[in-house]
Amino acid sequence: MIRNLVFDMGNVLIHYIPQVFMDRLGVPAEDQPLLAREVFGSVEWIRMDRGTLGQEEAVAAMEARLPRRLWEYARRLVLGWWLDGPLMPVEGMAALLEELKGLGYGLYLLSNATVRQPEYFPGIPGSQFFDGAVISAHWKVLKPEREIYEILFREYGLEPSECFFVDDLNINVEGALCAGMDGYIFDGDVGRLRQALCRAGVMVKTGED
């Protein structure tokens, strides 16, 4: 029986779209592919999520690969991509979280994110319904490594077979399956997610109700 729902954050609770963040800063269109590759697609970005590299060190490494005209953009993206515009919630997710909480399910966050994640998480609609969170940078381990799922189970006393995981990346859902909990690859459609939860035995409303 499913008793707990575990959610990823980016592209599950909120839209995480690097192009939008760059547009908000006014990055010229011709410079966006380079900046996206050297910032969001960099090893430093992953290491910040792992908690093994500080933001200033990451910025310095990125600047070494970028033309000077892009340095300030890179710095602002690293130090606060969420500061130059509102967070963009996935439509329908907050209502689903509220419904699940009202039904008595435990709600947990499992996200690859930097140590600054707690600064913006309260601004995400539905965040108040969560019972706990495991953020990769705090533990220096990333999804889909098995250890991060086991940290979640251990820290909150969860039985893997009683958990259902929602993530937008197939490799992370596969990691959850290997760790013993069922999961669903989220494609942005909360209606389809509701149907998947219902099939798993979670008593949520669907469009067919």
Side-chain angles (χ1 to χ4, degrees), residues 26-196:
V27 178
E30 62 270 22
D31 286 325
Q32 289 192 11
L34 174 61
L35 194 64
R37 182 177 71 244
E38 298 300 343
V39 176
F40 296 101
S42 69
V43 171
E44 291 82 19
W45 196 267
I46 299 298
R47 292 186 65 197
M48 286 190 292
D49 278 356
R50 190 180 287 277
T52 56
L53 184 69
Q55 291 181 316
E56 289 296 338
E57 292 86 353
V59 169
M62 294 169 185
E63 288 178 344
R65 300 190 299 267
L66 289 168
R68 185 176 292 272
R69 70 178 184 278
L70 299 181
W71 284 11
E72 182 59 25
Y73 294 132
R75 172 170 292 273
R76 289 177 65 178
L77 290 169
V78 169
L79 299 183
W81 53 263
W82 61 92
L83 297 175
D84 291 291
L87 295 171
M88 301 173 289
V90 171
E91 184 178 358
M93 188 60 75
L96 173 60
L97 295 172
E98 184 174 11
E99 181 179 340
L100 290 167
K101 191 66 177 176
L103 291 168
Y105 291 98
L107 301 181
Y108 298 90
L109 183 74
L110 181 60
S111 179
N112 287 351
T114 72
V115 294
R116 296 188 65 187
Q117 184 271 352
E119 295 180 21
Y120 57 84
F121 187 63
I124 298 176
S127 61
Q128 70 272 24
F129 301 118
F130 280 79
D131 298 290
V134 168
I135 303 304
S136 60
H138 296 159
W139 295 93
K140 294 182 169 53
V141 60
L142 295 166
K143 293 178 297 182
E145 297 164 13
R146 186 184 184 100
E147 184 181 355
I148 196 167
Y149 304 97
E150 294 179 342
I151 288 169
L152 174 73
F153 304 146
R154 183 180 70 245
E155 287 298 303
Y156 295 104
L158 306 180
E159 178 61 42
S161 63
E162 296 178 349
C163 297
F164 189 95
F165 180 55
V166 181
D167 196 292
D168 65 310
L169 297 179
N170 56 3
I171 192 169
N172 293 339
V173 173
E174 194 271 343
L177 295 172
C178 289
M181 66 173 163
D182 199 359
Y184 176 77
I185 303 168
F186 183 63
D187 62 358
D189 189 314
V190 175
R192 281 196 286 268
L193 171 58
R194 283 178 173 273
Q195 293 172 4

